[in-house]
Amino acid sequence: MASKSSSFHLLDERIQRFIWAEGWEELRDAQEKAIPLIVKGEQDVIISAATAAGKTEAAFFPALTHLLATDGDGLIVYVSPLKALINDQFGRLERLCAQLEIPVWPWHGDVSASVKTRFLAKRRGVLLITPESLEALLCNRGSSVGAVFERVTFFVVDELHAFIGSERGKQLQSLMHRIERALDRKVPRIGLSATLGDMRLAGQFLRPDAEPAQVNSAAAGSELKVLVKGYEEPLAVKSERDDEGESEPVTPGQVAAHLFKVLRGANNLVFPNSRRQVEQFTHLLNKMCERERVPNEFWPHHGSLSKEIRAETEAALKQKELPATALCTNTLELGIDIGAVKSVAQIGPPPSVASLRQRLGRSGRRKGEPAILRGYCIEDALGPRASLRDKLRLDTVQTAAMISLLVDKWFEPPRVQGVHLSTLVQQLLSAIAQRGGVMAGEAYGLLCGPGAPFTGLSKQEFVDLLRHLGHKELLTQDSSGALLHGRVGEKFVNHYSFYAAFASEEEFRVVAGGKTLGTLPVDQMLLPGQRILFAGRTWHVDEVDEQQKAIYVTRAPGGAPPMFSGGVGRTHTRVRQRMRELLEGTSSPPFLDAGAQRFLTQARTAYSHLRLASEFALDQGKELMLMTWLGDAANEAVACLLISRGFVAFPSGPGVEVVKGERSTQGILDALADIAAADMPLLDILLADVKNLAREKWDWALPDALLRKAYASLYLDLDEGLAWVRQVTGGRQS
């Protein structure tokens, strides 16, 4: 190996011997490139490589070599988004580190206090930890934080993409920054990821004021086999009398029957788009196993299940004797070691192209085996009252667009622009806990100064925040001016739930006539007057209760059904543009079966009939549909611009729906022309009438102006939205 490799000789001899003993014939591409960059311990590095391309070793072989060269007394802090991933990595690293006489310490909620006590006594080796446990360490160890981390030589952040653009990611940025401030030196950071749409943006996340070295592994991926099947739900013919009777859809059973036929006998992952669907398909497949009198091979896995049930599913996938298929949400998207799977199935469009790539990385890991993706698209049969969503077969077109972008090796760039001021509230309370009180100027410098995670917040905005937190009794000030926890703040900080920067995923209850119809994930704004599609019916939103997380609805009379039906992810403009390209094209993706191909043909016919290549405003009677073909962030911006002028408007699939009320179509188009001619309104005006802005855990504690700023940074693309309005009014409307 040494003669072929330019990096092998840089590693410590004991690590070289370990590699020989493991029977490796060569280092992977990512390892060859990363070793010389990391081994000196002088710079930040991002390693982007396919799942199972050896990223962990690419980071740890050189980092451990560096540790051994400095008497082996240093500390590597490895941060993971999942406890299960820490348990996996502990098994992998312990075998290697035992030979190097370097201790490995797992640290999360399920690890015993005695292990943690032993680490705190030695403070060397490899610490495997979650952001929440790191937060608890900083809060509870207070003045000794510098001593605990004095020998830290690297931060290694695994599954970097899972942190970017989230509250946890902001928290992790802040925790690493606070440790560096306690040490008064920079600690090299290594980020690992399989899915990074833009390395430069990912680098900005890893350290906001610097640019890391990049390793983008060009290792050839395995062959990809894709098949997308289309299933049509027949029109349910109901009498008026039977209107309230629910008829069971038939297509889930047909999809389950196909899954049963093609997946049995091998390990697979199936991704439906909600926890409810995970339960539904697991139930259908378990029943089929019973009926056929064969052992059950189908197991559920999602965040609402108990730890024991999830562990049972993971164990079924790991053991080699019996085949197992997991039906899961994104809980099995990240790198938990469940071994190689033969194929991945996706029911409905995936949340994003990046997510689809991550899921597919589980398949085709064995040499010579292809990665296999099966897509399942369910569309309603077209009747006289078919919705625009049905006519345009949007789920099928979006699935096809996302797969074609995946094949083109495009996926969404990381969303690093969110200011996450919710997490600033938590980090301020945490810094007070760590230091036993902090002066306002010192807190601003620590959290909002140059190179800090919340840079960009002005001193005046910070003062406004402190004043507001004082009113909420989260903070108080003593006679010396030091910030301390207020009465309410103390209760929060002393509860174990404080360490998580994010709230557990809550869905809104949909309530009609005092009866809860079910729950709905909501990842965009909601307004009274809006219509939503739920349980196959159209509902009018009467009230949005943010405190109780409830949407009060009444049945909406006839009219075109809306496109909004909750969401599984926020769609990027590039995906919607690819959908439009597919609808305007003539050739068909080769991976569509006859059913899915028929859906695409029907969609193209409808697109042509509605003249959507040239028209952007579709009159639907009580509503006007503006077909923007933009992503959700730009559509939400267009809706906000209309709301600020007194309209009820909301993002709806590939466009924006506007309730006409007393206005005419021309009146709405005139309003768009006025918007195009004016400057962008201030956020206070733009978001004055928008509900459910509080999405993150501590948003309730922000003053209104900062809540709007935080929301806009995460959910609105104002530039793209306004550019579209100007383009359509300037180019097509007088």
Side-chain angles (χ1 to χ4, degrees):
M1 182 190 289
S3 59
K4 287 188 291 180
S5 169
S6 60
S7 297
F8 182 72
H9 71 280
L10 298 173
L11 298 174
D12 185 273
E13 280 181 34
R14 286 160 285 184
I15 294 175
Q16 292 179 1
R17 283 199 296 273
F18 175 83
I19 293 169
W20 283 117
E22 290 291 299
W24 289 25
E25 292 170 17
E26 59 184 4
L27 290 176
R28 304 281 186 84
D29 180 62
Q31 294 156 0
E32 285 283 1
K33 290 175 176 173
I35 288 167
L37 296 173
I38 295 170
V39 76
K40 291 177 185 169
E42 292 171 353
Q43 60 183 333
D44 299 335
V45 180
I46 284 189
I47 304 172
S48 178
T51 307
K55 288 187 296 295
T56 304
E57 290 78 10
F60 274 100
F61 285 168
L64 288 166
T65 295
H66 179 80
L67 220 64
L68 291 163
T70 51
D71 302 329
D73 263 353
L75 174 67
I76 298 170
V77 177
Y78 162 97
V79 186
S80 158
L82 297 173
K83 291 194 278 191
L85 196 48
I86 284 176
N87 297 340
D88 280 347
Q89 296 292 29
F90 176 69
R92 286 171 75 179
L93 287 168
E94 203 183 27
R95 273 180 45 242
L96 165 62
C97 289
Q99 297 174 34
L100 309 176
E101 297 179 353
I102 290 176
V104 182
W105 313 94
W107 186 309
H108 55 67
D110 301 337
V111 172
S112 71
S114 61
V115 171
K116 295 173 181 176
T117 304
R118 287 206 307 279
F119 164 73
L120 289 169
K122 294 194 174 178
R123 306 192 301 277
R124 61 178 284 268
V126 180
L127 176 66
L128 311 173
I129 196 164
T130 60
E132 291 70 31
S133 290
L134 198 53
E135 185 75 73
L137 246 177
L138 264 68
C139 278
N140 300 329
R141 292 284 145 192
S143 56
S144 64
V145 164
V148 171
F149 294 103
E150 67 182 334
R151 292 191 288 245
V152 68
T153 50
F154 293 99
F155 288 118
V156 179
V157 182
D158 205 353
E159 303 288 354
L160 187 67
H161 62 278
F163 288 112
I164 298 174
S166 72
E167 296 147 281
R168 277 181 110 193
K170 237 349 159 195
Q171 176 187 27
L172 179 56
Q173 271 186 349
S174 181
L175 293 170
M176 292 190 292
H177 179 71
R178 284 166 57 196
I179 291 170
E180 287 185 345
R181 285 291 292 267
L183 298 173
D184 200 23
R185 64 181 170 89
K186 282 189 175 177
V187 178
R189 301 176 185 180
I190 304 170
L192 310 178
S193 182
T195 318
L196 291 170
D198 183 320
M199 292 284 275
R200 189 185 54 80
L201 288 175
Q204 271 178 32
F205 170 80
L206 189 65
R207 190 183 297 276
D209 62 344
E211 202 151 310
Q214 298 178 4
V215 172
N216 209 344
S217 174
S222 57
E223 178 194 359
L224 172 61
K225 291 188 171 180
V226 184
L227 174 66
V228 174
K229 292 181 71 62
Y231 289 84
E232 189 167 75
E233 182 64 45
L235 282 174
V237 182
K238 296 181 187 174
S239 66
E240 284 298 309
R241 187 172 43 79
D242 191 34
D243 190 44
E244 293 308 310
E246 287 294 326
S247 60
E248 273 299 309
V250 298
T251 42
Q254 294 168 350
V255 170
H258 189 263
L259 290 168
F260 185 79
K261 187 175 106 183
V262 297
L263 300 187
R264 280 188 64 238
N267 282 17
N268 310 277
L269 294 178
V270 179
F271 290 94
N273 275 338
S274 68
R275 296 170 186 185
R276 192 167 49 84
Q277 282 190 313
V278 166
E279 299 288 355
Q280 178 189 24
F281 281 101
T282 306
H283 174 73
L284 288 167
L285 288 158
N286 289 170
K287 286 281 178 215
M288 287 175 189
C289 291
E290 275 177 35
R291 206 166 46 241
E292 298 293 318
R293 298 189 176 172
V294 294
N296 179 47
E297 294 182 20
F298 300 96
W299 306 77
H301 197 286
H302 62 71
S304 297
L305 293 171
S306 70
K307 189 173 73 182
E308 290 72 26
I309 293 175
R310 293 203 305 271
E312 210 174 42
T313 298
E314 289 161 28
L317 285 163
K318 280 180 190 176
Q319 54 86 29
K320 303 283 187 282
E321 292 73 44
L322 297 169
T325 290
L327 291 102
C328 46
T329 54
N330 57 2
T331 47
L332 284 183
E333 203 174 282
L334 297 176
I336 304 173
D337 183 15
I338 49 166
V341 299
K342 186 174 181 189
S343 72
V344 170
Q346 172 66 47
I347 300 172
S352 65
V353 182
S355 166
L356 182 62
R357 181 187 172 183
Q358 189 72 17
R359 293 170 178 190
L360 197 53
R362 296 296 203 165
S363 175
R365 288 189 181 186
R366 294 197 183 98
K367 217 168 185 173
E369 277 192 11
I372 298 171
L373 172 65
R374 291 184 174 87
Y376 294 87
C377 294
I378 297 173
E379 302 279 3
D380 287 338
L382 296 172
R385 294 176 61 194
S387 69
L388 187 59
R389 167 177 281 282
D390 289 339
K391 287 175 186 169
L392 291 174
R393 300 311 204 187
L394 286 180
D395 280 2
T396 303
V397 175
Q398 185 164 330
T399 299
M402 288 174 135
I403 292 171
S404 75
L405 287 166
L406 175 87
V407 171
D408 289 351
K409 295 188 165 48
W410 177 88
F411 36 102
E412 294 82 0
R415 293 174 61 243
V416 296
Q417 74 279 12
V419 293
H420 299 286
L421 298 178
S422 160
T423 309
L424 171 58
V425 175
Q426 186 223 28
Q427 289 300 294
L428 180 57
L429 292 169
S430 173
I432 291 168
Q434 178 194 337
R435 297 172 175 219
V438 62
M439 301 303 283
E442 192 185 356
Y444 181 79
L446 175 69
L447 298 170
C448 307
F454 303 98
T455 184
L457 196 74
S458 73
K459 286 184 177 171
Q460 186 54 53
E461 286 174 319
F462 191 70
V463 168
D464 293 343
L465 174 63
L466 294 182
R467 199 169 285 134
H468 193 73
L469 296 177
H471 289 317
K472 298 266 184 190
E473 294 188 73
L474 287 165
L475 292 185
T476 187
Q477 236 172 346
D478 70 10
S479 55
S480 72
L483 299 172
L484 303 170
H485 295 142
R487 182 183 61 83
V488 175
E490 202 157 317
K491 280 184 187 166
F492 276 115
V493 176
N494 289 331
H495 193 268
Y496 70 89
S497 62
F498 173 74
Y499 306 129
F502 62 98
S504 55
E505 215 174 281
E506 276 188 282
E507 299 190 346
F508 275 67
R509 287 180 304 123
V510 181
V511 182
K515 181 181 162 196
T516 298
L517 305 175
T519 61
L520 186 69
V522 176
D523 55 12
Q524 64 184 47
M525 61 190 194
L526 282 171
L527 292 175
Q530 183 176 344
R531 296 172 319 127
I532 62 171
L533 197 62
F534 186 76
R537 304 217 165 124
T538 302
W539 304 90
H540 180 276
V541 175
D542 299 325
E543 186 192 342
V544 180
D545 186 332
E546 297 175 59
Q547 250 64 48
Q548 300 298 319
K549 290 271 190 278
I551 307 165
Y552 294 95
V553 298
T554 45
R555 278 295 295 277
M563 294 219 200
F564 177 85
S565 57
V568 294
R570 288 177 70 81
T571 304
H572 192 276
T573 291
R574 182 78 181 270
V575 174
R576 296 254 161 80
Q577 288 171 343
R578 180 58 60 91
M579 289 168 69
R580 196 173 192 181
E581 287 164 23
L582 279 171
L583 288 166
E584 292 181 0
T586 50
S587 62
S588 287
F591 49 77
L592 301 181
D593 84 335
Q597 172 61 62
R598 185 165 62 88
F599 291 154
L600 179 59
T601 304
Q602 289 170 340
R604 283 172 170 168
T605 302
Y607 185 87
S608 171
H609 176 70
L610 294 164
R611 296 189 307 210
L612 290 178
S614 57
E615 298 290 324
F616 73 89
L618 281 184
D619 197 328
Q620 298 196 285
K622 292 177 181 174
E623 296 83 30
L624 185 70
M625 186 71 192
L626 303 174
M627 298 297 286
T628 65
W629 298 100
L630 299 175
D632 290 341
N635 280 343
E636 199 153 327
V638 172
C640 285
L641 287 163
L642 285 159
I643 292 165
S644 70
R645 289 181 176 256
F647 290 93
V648 174
F650 41 91
S652 194
V656 175
E657 200 170 307
V658 190
V659 177
K660 283 158 80 172
E662 302 298 311
R663 325 262 187 124
S664 65
T665 294
Q666 190 56 48
I668 296 169
L669 297 177
D670 289 345
L672 281 177
D674 291 344
I675 289 166
D679 291 335
M680 178 69 72
L682 296 170
L683 287 180
D684 288 356
I685 296 167
L686 193 66
L687 295 173
D689 297 320
V690 176
K691 304 289 181 194
N692 71 304
L693 293 185
R695 301 289 176 85
E696 299 192 332
K697 185 173 178 178
W698 293 89
D699 276 352
W700 62 272
L702 294 173
D704 286 349
L706 290 183
L707 176 61
R708 289 175 186 137
K709 178 174 181 159
Y711 183 86
S713 75
L714 284 165
Y715 293 99
L716 303 183
D717 190 329
L718 294 165
D719 292 341
E720 191 175 64
L722 189 57
W724 178 83
V725 173
R726 286 176 175 160
Q727 179 220 330
V728 295
T729 53
R732 303 181 203 184
Q733 290 293 325
S734 57

